[in-house]
């Protein structure tokens, strides 16, 4: 059905349309950029992409920032927008899912096995654990939930290096500012000098789902076409190549 919508438009009609503005979770940067390029190759206006922590983007939408689509790294931020009537009814869908991993920089010697009450605090030495800020960043929320479930959160209360986004947390480990960090599995694919030393059990945290929805005040028809494209077969293949999982 997406292909029918795309080919029904004349080149002149497409050129006259405004490119959709997409606010998306930082962890989607490479995959969504590739999907936007693929969409543009069909003759559509290339979407304008803006990446940051889901918390920051949701607050921008609440504040009235111009946007057509929102892709969050968790459901609670999308829930907040829905409760305020800020997303279009029936446009919400789950785009992809992800895994949560423990990463180490070059100086970490290990080993360290993720299990209940594993010695994470001791493994940090004099350093801190880099995570997205649990007060609002989805990756930080998932990390907190996992560490609480595994019985080690209390031992890390004063050992955290909270960051404004999951990519900022990853950067702390890349630069050697933190020996260990908790990020998404897809983030590590774009990193240098960082390795995965363990994957958190799926049961230790809420499912990592990325919902997408059209912003209610958007009147740009290209936004709905791009939303449908992202939910289609071609975009699904792009997301898989970048390490994302199909919706859980």
């Amino acid at each position: 059905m997406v292909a029918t919508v795309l080919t029904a438009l004349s080149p002149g009609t497409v050129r006259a349309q405004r490119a959709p503005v997409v606010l998306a979770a930082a962890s989607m940067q490479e995959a969504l950029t590739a999907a936007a390029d693929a969409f543009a190759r069909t003759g559509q206006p290339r979407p304008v992409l803006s990446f940051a922590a889901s918390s920051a983007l949701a607050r921008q939408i609440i504040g009235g920032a111009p946007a057509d689509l929102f892709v969050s790294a968790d459901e609670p931020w999308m829930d907040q927008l829905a409760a305020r009537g800020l997303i279009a009814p029936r446009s919400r869908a789950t785009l992809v899912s992800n895994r949560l991993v423990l990463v180490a920089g070059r100086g970490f010697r290990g080993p360290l096995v993720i299990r209940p009450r594993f010695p994470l605090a001791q493994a940090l030495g004099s350093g801190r654990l880099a995570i997205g800020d649990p007060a609002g960043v989805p990756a930080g929320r998932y990390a907190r939930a996992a560490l609480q479930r595994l019985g080690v959160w209390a031992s890390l209360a004063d050992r955290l290096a909270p960051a404004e986004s999951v990519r900022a947390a990853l950067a702390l480990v890349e630069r050697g500012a933190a020996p260990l960090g908790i990020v998404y599995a897809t983030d590590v694919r774009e990193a240098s000098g960082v390795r995965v030393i363990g994957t958190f059990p799926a049961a230790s945290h809420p499912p990592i789902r990325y919902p997408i929805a059209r912003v209610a005040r958007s009147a740009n028809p290209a936004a709905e076409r791009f939303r449908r494209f992202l939910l289609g077969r071609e975009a699904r293949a792009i997301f898989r190549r970048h390490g994302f999982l199909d919706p859980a």
Side-chain angles (χ1 to χ4, degrees), residues 38-56:
F39 182 70
R41 286 194 293 271
T42 69
Q44 299 297 307
R46 190 189 186 285
V48 176
L49 308 176
S50 179
F51 300 96
S54 300
S55 52

Side-chain angles (χ1 to χ4, degrees), residues 67-236:
D68 298 299
L69 292 174
F70 176 46
V71 181
S72 174
D74 73 355
E75 295 179 315
W77 282 112
M78 191 68 80
D79 291 342
Q80 286 202 31
L81 297 188
R84 294 169 180 259
L86 294 176
I87 62 172
R90 296 186 296 277
S91 74
R92 179 172 176 173
T94 301
L95 185 61
V96 292
S97 61
N98 214 331
R99 292 178 293 260
L100 194 68
V101 297
L102 181 66
V103 296
R106 291 188 179 91
F108 184 76
R109 294 292 174 263
L112 186 62
V113 178
I114 297 176
R115 62 180 187 275
R117 295 179 176 79
F118 70 115
L120 181 54
Q122 295 93 312
L124 289 170
S126 60
R128 293 178 177 268
L129 177 68
I131 64 172
D133 188 348
V137 178
R141 290 175 170 175
Y142 293 126
R144 178 175 59 191
L147 296 174
Q148 287 174 334
R149 184 68 178 269
L150 293 168
V152 299
W153 176 255
S155 67
L156 297 164
D158 59 350
R159 307 295 306 279
L160 301 177
E164 63 183 11
S165 71
V166 67
R167 289 297 176 89
L170 179 65
L172 290 174
V173 182
E174 284 186 288
R175 298 197 305 265
L180 298 170
I182 300 178
V183 299
Y184 299 124
T186 52
D187 294 313
V188 187
R189 297 166 65 94
E190 314 300 335
S192 60
V194 173
R195 60 190 173 92
V196 174
I197 59 174
T199 300
F200 286 89
S204 68
H205 54 79
I208 302 175
R209 298 189 180 113
Y210 288 64
I212 181 174
R214 198 172 68 253
V215 177
R217 56 180 169 265
S218 170
N220 186 352
E224 177 60 16
R225 291 197 299 277
F226 188 48
R227 187 188 74 89
R228 294 188 182 192
F229 177 84
L230 292 176
L231 294 169
R233 183 182 302 174
E234 183 176 356
R236 182 81 59 218

Side-chain angles (χ1 to χ4, degrees), residues 58-65 86 217:
R59 292 183 183 116
Q60 288 178 27
I61 294 172
I62 291 170
L86 294 176
R217 56 180 169 265

